[in-house]
Amino acid sequence: MTQLAKARAGITTPEMEAVAANEQVDVLLLRERIARGSVVIPANINHGGLVPSGIGEGLTMKVNANIGTSSDRADLDEELEKLRVAVEAGADSVMDLSTGGDIDQCRKKILELATVPIGTVPIYQAVVETVNQEGGVVHLSEDKIFEVIEKQSADGVDFITVHCGVTRSALDMLKRQGRVTDIVSRGGAFLTTWMLHHDRENPLYENYDRLLDIVKKYDVTLSLGDGLRPGCLADATDRAQIHELMTLGDLTKRAWEQDVQVMIEGPGHVPLNQIKANVLLQKQLCHNAPFYVLGPLVTDIAAGYDHVACAIGGAVAGEAGADFLCYVTPTEHLCLPGVADVREGVVVSKIAAHAADIARGHEGAIARDRKMAIARKNLDWEAQMELAIDPRKARKLRSENPPEEEDVCTMCGKFCAMKTVKDYFKSP
Amino acid sequence: MTQLAKARAGITTPEMEAVAANEQVDVLLLRERIARGSVVIPANINHGGLVPSGIGEGLTMKVNANIGTSSDRADLDEELEKLRVAVEAGADSVMDLSTGGDIDQCRKKILELATVPIGTVPIYQAVVETVNQEGGVVHLSEDKIFEVIEKQSADGVDFITVHCGVTRSALDMLKRQGRVTDIVSRGGAFLTTWMLHHDRENPLYENYDRLLDIVKKYDVTLSLGDGLRPGCLADATDRAQIHELMTLGDLTKRAWEQDVQVMIEGPGHVPLNQIKANVLLQKQLCHNAPFYVLGPLVTDIAAGYDHVACAIGGAVAGEAGADFLCYVTPTEHLCLPGVADVREGVVVSKIAAHAADIARGHEGAIARDRKMAIARKNLDWEAQMELAIDPRKARKLRSENPPEEEDVCTMCGKFCAMKTVKDYFKSP
């Protein structure tokens, strides 16, 4: 039985207990939300050592870090170091998007070491192996897709991205309306190529029940992918994107009928003024299933700083009700991220998530900032370092620039505002 | 005659022509807005070599970079390098906040080299010299403040921050309501200390006409400072802050009566969900004078990454109508920024400003992103590098991680989504 099935049956699982304790929410309320589908706990029955984490209504916003090899750079040790650093920096989940080297080995090793939920995109492995063996994505077989999904599910993957909403009618809309960047999702691009070449429907859409049968056995959470997400601001919120979203809403209901947990993936590149509407649309069209946003990036020109464009969009999406942020690193649109980029990406996304938690009135998040404010007022530098989102970087910057007087910093030196007025106001 | 006086008299100045051409707006519309006070052109008649820049209604959002020595770190050459790097990275103005070393020399040198408008906070020099000569801020004399304002104005400073709204009644409100971080503005802290010690009113408030007489001669734009801005989320949008803002609204009208240009400075540390209300309040209470926001930082715990917390808040403030962003660097709350921090701070603030311009429907900003999207679709990497907000960093990341196939990047390698589907969709 999946977490959803148990919630519906009125069974409180150890995973629900753990999430409720960690988030300081009532476990029965949490269970009710799981039963309604507005919260998921991605927890494959085969993922040993997993510390369960919840995503959705009433919980803190979560952050995912993508790692994984590519055909151009495949170093298992480096990927394991990215895993370690991502979790250390606060990532709530990690996706292994490997498309290079020994994909099975990389995933198994990550699952063995990871205490956070692990996600994958099975179509990547299916396509990479097909291309390497047969020369092109058009040779992909339906069975190959489902074999990979079964294998990865059996290995213990907690959630998988499946681009089931890339349907022929959505592609027709895309072609009719026209787009600047067409398709920027890798999974979406593979499926589209296959569909257009063979003049066939999306196998993940046509055989959705087969997919549900597999993932249900392991309680793999479906992350219904947005293969038609906009790849630039000009394409945002267009017919193809919204058509796919509506399909994902239908598929959400069908998954719930089979007790399968579901999240919905969302854009992408979206102008700041369209983000709120995008979140509202997802919540309405997908029956309040958790929303997992890939960005949104609020400009197309921030290459080298896309983590910042993502933090702006992610915070605003979170305030509007998004539940789960996929990080973006400084190397987005340029190259595969290295270990330092992964770290930077996670911290910056955690800032966005935290800002959203505060905006949504989360008491724990608000209390954390208040503690920092009190430490600042008291010129208590040790407490300030401890309370910083990344104590290591904060300590480094301060220690490299020691002030003459220990209770201030080199920004204002002895003319510190806090120090200037402290005799006139009582300490908090 | 100031730009405001000339606009009211129906005179179109070379500065207005330059701004209108640069921003591609109608010069008569621009002049009308200057006359109404919703746009300023900070352009001291003594600042030779200035390239005029406009701030306010209908113009792109501008970014200011703070530089300047401190009592702990005073190196003129380093500050001049910060100036160079800030402007190169896109800063629209620079404030010299020096409080260490030879303050006069630093300002004169910056004014000599700067083509962008230069701002200062004269009370800093007045206090530093008083403290160094007489041992404490309480020895500050009113004449000293106005002498420094006169000197800096005569030197060619284009805008000055003056904390005229830190009044006794605002301080009473602050004390009565209570705050966590009391006063975090240096200027606000100096004035408060002086006022509470001497049991006197703020000299910049009491002698506001004297201030107007000086700045009017040189067409120095007043940046009415928020000495009582919240220094943490818990203090945001409180009575002291709003009282000061209302005073600044009164002082705006009085400045306009004397043909003096005015901007209003704003918070500070503000939760994401309060930013829009803060911008609306400023526009209402200050008669649509341009809003210059110092952040807003959407969390208190981002030390080491406060530039990101500022980008989130700045973009949202911009979308809501703020006109001018004061950058924040990664060293905020930790130490004086170095040259690399200044660069990072400017680029990240420019991203926020650009995202806001797009959200406000600015055609030029939207067109720039569209060009980047087309370059991406065409796998035109040279154009992508050119169009990036920071071509140098984008080129560096890409060249350090060369892909095997030249038309992709190492993120997806040969499995690039764009490349996969390009035969199925026409090029844009």
Side-chain angles (χ1 to χ4, degrees), chain A residues 97-157:
Chain A
L97 304 186
S98 289
T99 56
D102 187 335
I103 296 175
D104 283 330
Q105 189 201 12
C106 189
R107 181 181 61 256
K108 283 173 198 284
K109 201 73 199 166
I110 286 171
L111 277 165
E112 188 188 313
L113 295 172
T115 55
V116 297
I118 296 297
T120 59
V121 188
I123 192 101
Y124 290 180
Q125 183 170 20
V127 166
V128 167
E129 290 177 358
T130 300
V131 168
N132 291 345
Q133 286 154 20
E134 304 184 50
V137 62
V138 297
H139 302 295
L140 181 69
S141 74
E142 291 183 17
D143 283 342
K144 175 73 181 176
I145 298 175
F146 289 101
E147 281 161 24
V148 171
I149 291 172
E150 175 89 43
K151 177 169 68 171
Q152 296 195 357
S153 298
D155 278 351
V157 166

XYZ file of all heavy atoms in Angstrom, chain A residues 97-157:
458
model
N 20.158 12.916 -12.768
C 19.765 13.068 -14.180
C 20.835 12.517 -15.109
O 21.001 12.988 -16.237
C 19.519 14.549 -14.481
C 18.499 15.274 -13.605
C 18.251 16.684 -14.120
C 17.180 14.504 -13.545
N 21.554 11.519 -14.649
C 22.702 11.025 -15.419
C 22.325 10.573 -16.825
O 21.332 9.880 -17.039
C 23.347 9.851 -14.669
O 23.990 10.339 -13.515
N 23.164 10.990 -17.776
C 23.032 10.521 -19.161
C 24.394 10.090 -19.719
O 24.529 9.881 -20.917
C 22.457 11.631 -20.071
O 23.283 12.804 -19.966
C 21.024 11.984 -19.707
N 25.393 9.985 -18.845
C 26.720 9.584 -19.309
C 27.303 8.530 -18.379
O 26.863 8.376 -17.241
N 28.295 7.800 -18.868
C 28.956 6.784 -18.052
C 28.009 5.642 -17.704
O 27.052 5.363 -18.427
N 28.270 5.000 -16.566
C 27.448 3.854 -16.136
C 26.252 4.388 -15.325
O 26.355 4.648 -14.129
C 28.297 2.912 -15.282
C 27.554 1.618 -14.948
O 26.295 1.623 -14.942
O 28.236 0.615 -14.681
N 25.134 4.537 -15.998
C 23.964 5.183 -15.392
C 23.411 4.357 -14.225
O 23.038 4.903 -13.181
C 22.881 5.435 -16.474
C 23.422 6.435 -17.514
C 21.589 5.950 -15.853
C 22.491 6.667 -18.704
N 23.378 3.034 -14.406
C 22.873 2.162 -13.331
C 23.732 2.288 -12.077
O 23.228 2.425 -10.965
C 22.875 0.696 -13.788
C 21.702 0.383 -14.716
O 20.643 1.021 -14.568
O 21.858 -0.492 -15.589
N 25.020 2.251 -12.275
C 25.928 2.303 -11.129
C 25.799 3.622 -10.375
O 25.754 3.643 -9.137
C 27.377 2.120 -11.620
C 28.376 1.950 -10.487
C 29.802 2.285 -10.930
O 30.034 2.843 -11.995
N 30.759 1.931 -10.077
N 25.718 4.694 -11.132
C 25.608 6.022 -10.520
C 24.339 6.099 -9.659
O 24.379 6.532 -8.506
C 25.602 7.090 -11.602
S 25.737 8.771 -10.970
N 23.221 5.647 -10.221
C 21.953 5.725 -9.496
C 21.987 4.857 -8.244
O 21.551 5.269 -7.164
C 20.803 5.295 -10.398
C 19.439 5.357 -9.726
C 18.332 4.891 -10.660
N 18.507 3.499 -11.086
C 18.936 3.120 -12.271
N 19.247 4.000 -13.206
N 19.077 1.835 -12.558
N 22.478 3.633 -8.389
C 22.515 2.712 -7.242
C 23.379 3.286 -6.116
O 23.043 3.197 -4.933
C 23.054 1.341 -7.676
C 22.020 0.502 -8.442
C 22.680 -0.773 -8.987
C 21.872 -1.421 -10.099
N 20.691 -2.151 -9.680
N 24.506 3.849 -6.494
C 25.414 4.408 -5.491
C 24.750 5.606 -4.775
O 24.846 5.745 -3.550
C 26.695 4.854 -6.203
C 27.886 4.990 -5.304
C 28.449 3.653 -4.862
C 29.313 3.877 -3.625
N 29.629 2.626 -2.921
N 24.093 6.448 -5.561
C 23.405 7.607 -4.971
C 22.302 7.138 -4.016
O 22.176 7.640 -2.895
C 22.844 8.524 -6.090
C 23.986 9.297 -6.758
C 21.794 9.494 -5.532
C 23.597 10.075 -8.003
N 21.529 6.150 -4.432
C 20.447 5.644 -3.579
C 20.995 5.025 -2.299
O 20.387 5.123 -1.229
C 19.624 4.599 -4.342
C 18.549 5.185 -5.265
C 18.053 4.137 -6.242
C 17.393 5.759 -4.453
N 22.137 4.406 -2.417
C 22.759 3.770 -1.256
C 23.191 4.816 -0.224
O 23.032 4.624 0.985
C 23.977 2.984 -1.762
C 24.661 2.096 -0.771
C 25.959 1.558 -1.380
O 25.929 1.091 -2.559
O 27.007 1.630 -0.696
N 23.700 5.947 -0.729
C 24.240 6.963 0.173
C 23.205 7.988 0.640
O 23.390 8.632 1.673
C 25.388 7.721 -0.516
C 26.633 6.888 -0.855
C 27.608 7.702 -1.699
C 27.320 6.410 0.434
N 22.122 8.130 -0.136
C 21.220 9.263 0.105
C 20.219 8.994 1.213
O 19.524 7.983 1.207
C 20.482 9.632 -1.175
N 20.117 9.956 2.140
C 19.043 9.914 3.139
C 17.864 10.768 2.687
O 16.788 10.674 3.253
C 19.565 10.446 4.486
O 20.114 11.745 4.270
C 20.631 9.529 5.061
N 18.079 11.626 1.690
C 16.973 12.436 1.151
C 16.302 11.662 0.015
O 16.908 10.758 -0.565
C 17.469 13.808 0.617
C 18.069 14.640 1.733
C 18.444 13.625 -0.534
N 15.049 12.004 -0.302
C 14.386 11.355 -1.438
C 15.165 11.596 -2.734
O 15.703 12.682 -2.940
C 13.017 12.063 -1.500
C 12.830 12.697 -0.166
C 14.181 12.987 0.377
N 15.199 10.561 -3.559
C 15.925 10.640 -4.832
C 14.935 10.527 -5.994
O 14.051 9.665 -5.988
C 16.964 9.506 -4.934
C 18.038 9.668 -3.846
C 17.613 9.454 -6.325
C 18.869 10.939 -3.950
N 15.112 11.416 -6.964
C 14.286 11.372 -8.164
C 15.126 11.078 -9.401
O 16.342 11.276 -9.393
N 14.451 10.602 -10.438
C 15.125 10.366 -11.730
C 14.158 10.728 -12.860
O 12.977 10.983 -12.621
C 15.525 8.894 -11.924
O 14.339 8.087 -11.847
C 16.539 8.424 -10.900
N 14.698 10.708 -14.083
C 13.875 10.867 -15.285
C 14.163 9.639 -16.146
O 15.097 9.648 -16.955
C 14.206 12.165 -16.043
C 13.198 12.401 -17.169
C 14.233 13.357 -15.093
N 13.394 8.554 -15.974
C 13.747 7.279 -16.612
C 13.900 7.353 -18.130
O 14.713 6.610 -18.700
C 12.576 6.364 -16.222
C 12.044 6.939 -14.951
C 12.221 8.420 -15.086
N 13.177 8.255 -18.771
C 13.290 8.323 -20.236
C 14.719 8.642 -20.675
O 15.141 8.257 -21.755
C 12.281 9.346 -20.823
C 12.161 9.219 -22.352
C 12.668 10.775 -20.500
C 10.970 8.488 -22.819
N 15.474 9.325 -19.800
C 16.867 9.631 -20.161
C 17.657 8.337 -20.396
O 18.314 8.163 -21.409
C 17.583 10.431 -19.057
C 17.138 11.855 -18.859
C 17.732 12.646 -17.875
C 16.150 12.427 -19.640
C 17.339 13.968 -17.679
C 15.744 13.744 -19.441
C 16.340 14.506 -18.452
O 15.960 15.806 -18.242
N 17.596 7.432 -19.409
C 18.361 6.190 -19.550
C 17.850 5.380 -20.739
O 18.640 4.816 -21.500
C 18.260 5.354 -18.267
C 19.100 4.076 -18.354
C 19.224 3.332 -17.024
O 18.419 3.532 -16.112
N 20.232 2.480 -16.919
N 16.529 5.349 -20.905
C 15.965 4.587 -22.021
C 16.479 5.125 -23.351
O 16.874 4.354 -24.245
C 14.435 4.653 -21.970
N 16.526 6.435 -23.475
C 16.974 7.033 -24.739
C 18.482 6.888 -24.911
O 18.965 6.536 -25.993
C 16.555 8.523 -24.809
C 17.302 9.253 -25.928
C 15.049 8.630 -25.016
N 19.238 7.154 -23.859
C 20.701 7.082 -23.974
C 21.113 5.676 -24.407
O 21.923 5.498 -25.332
C 21.376 7.454 -22.635
C 22.849 7.083 -22.637
C 21.193 8.945 -22.357
N 20.531 4.664 -23.778
C 20.896 3.291 -24.143
C 20.444 2.956 -25.569
O 21.152 2.276 -26.310
C 20.318 2.312 -23.115
C 21.057 2.447 -21.768
C 20.498 1.565 -20.644
O 19.500 0.847 -20.879
O 21.077 1.609 -19.544
N 19.285 3.449 -25.959
C 18.802 3.211 -27.327
C 19.716 3.879 -28.351
O 20.102 3.278 -29.356
C 17.365 3.744 -27.480
O 16.521 3.060 -26.556
C 16.845 3.542 -28.887
N 20.065 5.148 -28.068
C 20.931 5.882 -29.008
C 22.296 5.208 -29.097
O 22.837 5.014 -30.181
C 21.071 7.365 -28.569
C 22.181 8.071 -29.347
C 19.747 8.094 -28.741
N 22.836 4.838 -27.939
C 24.166 4.209 -27.960
C 24.153 2.864 -28.676
O 25.108 2.506 -29.354
C 24.702 4.037 -26.531
C 25.038 5.393 -25.904
O 25.138 6.408 -26.610
N 25.206 5.414 -24.595
N 23.032 2.119 -28.531
C 22.975 0.790 -29.152
C 22.441 0.817 -30.578
O 22.874 0.040 -31.419
C 22.096 -0.147 -28.298
C 22.784 -0.589 -26.998
C 21.780 -0.956 -25.910
O 20.617 -1.237 -26.196
N 22.242 -0.952 -24.666
N 21.502 1.718 -30.838
C 20.835 1.645 -32.138
C 20.960 2.907 -32.980
O 20.471 2.942 -34.112
C 19.355 1.282 -31.937
C 19.218 -0.022 -31.139
C 17.765 -0.456 -31.020
O 17.084 -0.510 -32.047
O 17.319 -0.709 -29.883
N 21.580 3.936 -32.426
C 21.920 5.087 -33.257
C 20.951 6.249 -33.264
O 21.265 7.287 -33.852
N 19.786 6.105 -32.656
C 18.883 7.259 -32.693
C 17.683 7.081 -31.792
O 17.258 5.939 -31.511
N 17.127 8.189 -31.331
C 15.999 8.163 -30.407
C 14.758 7.539 -31.048
O 13.895 6.985 -30.356
C 15.700 9.587 -29.860
C 15.305 10.529 -30.981
C 14.626 9.571 -28.800
N 14.678 7.583 -32.381
C 13.483 7.044 -33.049
C 13.400 5.520 -32.890
O 12.339 4.924 -33.098
C 13.435 7.436 -34.541
C 13.342 8.959 -34.680
C 14.632 6.900 -35.301
N 14.510 4.894 -32.538
C 14.499 3.434 -32.330
C 13.998 3.036 -30.943
O 13.915 1.843 -30.620
C 15.904 2.854 -32.554
C 16.435 3.143 -33.919
N 15.870 2.630 -35.070
C 17.461 3.925 -34.332
C 16.532 3.078 -36.133
N 17.505 3.866 -35.710
N 13.719 4.015 -30.129
C 13.209 3.740 -28.784
C 11.937 2.890 -28.869
O 11.055 3.178 -29.675
C 12.882 5.084 -28.105
C 12.360 5.043 -26.666
C 13.459 4.585 -25.721
C 11.866 6.441 -26.257
N 11.852 1.860 -28.012
C 10.617 1.055 -27.992
C 9.842 1.338 -26.713
O 10.419 1.737 -25.697
C 10.945 -0.431 -28.078
O 11.479 -0.882 -26.841
N 8.548 1.133 -26.804
C 7.716 1.346 -25.623
C 8.169 0.451 -24.479
O 8.242 0.870 -23.326
C 6.250 1.050 -25.953
C 5.657 2.068 -26.905
C 4.177 1.803 -27.178
O 3.545 1.047 -26.408
O 3.682 2.341 -28.157
N 8.471 -0.791 -24.805
C 8.885 -1.711 -23.746
C 10.142 -1.231 -23.039
O 10.280 -1.383 -21.821
C 9.117 -3.114 -24.331
C 7.795 -3.839 -24.589
O 6.767 -3.406 -24.010
O 7.787 -4.815 -25.355
N 11.062 -0.662 -23.811
C 12.304 -0.161 -23.222
C 11.990 0.897 -22.149
O 12.553 0.875 -21.051
C 13.176 0.455 -24.330
C 14.457 1.117 -23.846
C 15.493 0.109 -23.420
C 16.753 0.775 -22.911
N 17.728 -0.209 -22.414
N 11.080 1.795 -22.477
C 10.718 2.844 -21.507
C 10.226 2.215 -20.201
O 10.695 2.554 -19.107
C 9.612 3.769 -22.085
C 10.104 4.491 -23.333
C 9.152 4.782 -21.023
C 9.026 5.340 -24.036
N 9.307 1.249 -20.332
C 8.710 0.684 -19.112
C 9.676 -0.248 -18.380
O 9.614 -0.361 -17.151
C 7.374 0.015 -19.454
C 6.319 1.033 -19.805
C 5.976 1.292 -21.127
C 5.722 1.789 -18.807
C 5.035 2.255 -21.447
C 4.782 2.757 -19.120
C 4.439 2.998 -20.444
N 10.572 -0.879 -19.111
C 11.603 -1.694 -18.448
C 12.493 -0.812 -17.569
O 12.837 -1.178 -16.447
C 12.471 -2.415 -19.491
C 11.808 -3.657 -20.075
C 12.448 -4.079 -21.409
O 13.631 -3.729 -21.631
O 11.742 -4.731 -22.199
N 12.884 0.339 -18.109
C 13.742 1.244 -17.324
C 12.974 1.766 -16.103
O 13.517 1.842 -15.000
C 14.271 2.404 -18.199
C 14.965 3.459 -17.334
C 15.241 1.878 -19.250
N 11.716 2.110 -16.315
C 10.916 2.601 -15.179
C 10.823 1.525 -14.095
O 10.991 1.799 -12.902
C 9.503 3.036 -15.652
C 9.609 4.304 -16.505
C 8.570 3.259 -14.465
C 8.306 4.722 -17.196
N 10.594 0.296 -14.512
C 10.505 -0.814 -13.546
C 11.836 -0.984 -12.816
O 11.875 -1.112 -11.587
C 10.129 -2.115 -14.285
C 10.111 -3.362 -13.410
C 8.747 -3.637 -12.749
O 7.719 -3.503 -13.432
O 8.734 -3.985 -11.538
N 12.920 -0.971 -13.563
C 14.253 -1.171 -12.963
C 14.573 -0.066 -11.951
O 15.008 -0.342 -10.828
C 15.311 -1.196 -14.070
C 16.744 -1.316 -13.578
C 17.736 -1.610 -14.687
C 17.889 -0.433 -15.628
N 18.999 -0.611 -16.578
N 14.358 1.168 -12.366
C 14.683 2.282 -11.469
C 13.769 2.283 -10.233
O 14.205 2.602 -9.134
C 14.582 3.616 -12.229
C 15.612 3.725 -13.366
C 15.793 5.143 -13.890
O 15.119 6.067 -13.455
N 16.726 5.300 -14.808
N 12.516 1.922 -10.448
C 11.580 1.844 -9.318
C 12.021 0.748 -8.342
O 12.020 0.948 -7.122
C 10.167 1.553 -9.820
O 9.706 2.585 -10.651
N 12.394 -0.375 -8.871
C 12.831 -1.489 -8.021
C 14.099 -1.131 -7.253
O 14.319 -1.597 -6.123
C 13.050 -2.738 -8.875
N 14.931 -0.276 -7.850
C 16.170 0.150 -7.181
C 15.892 1.018 -5.951
O 16.774 1.176 -5.108
C 17.039 0.968 -8.144
C 17.854 0.082 -9.080
O 17.871 -1.148 -8.874
O 18.469 0.634 -10.011
N 14.721 1.649 -5.909
C 14.405 2.467 -4.737
C 14.224 3.953 -5.015
O 14.163 4.758 -4.071
N 14.112 4.334 -6.288
C 13.914 5.756 -6.614
C 12.579 6.234 -6.032
O 11.563 5.563 -6.154
C 13.948 5.947 -8.146
C 13.412 7.316 -8.535
C 15.372 5.750 -8.666
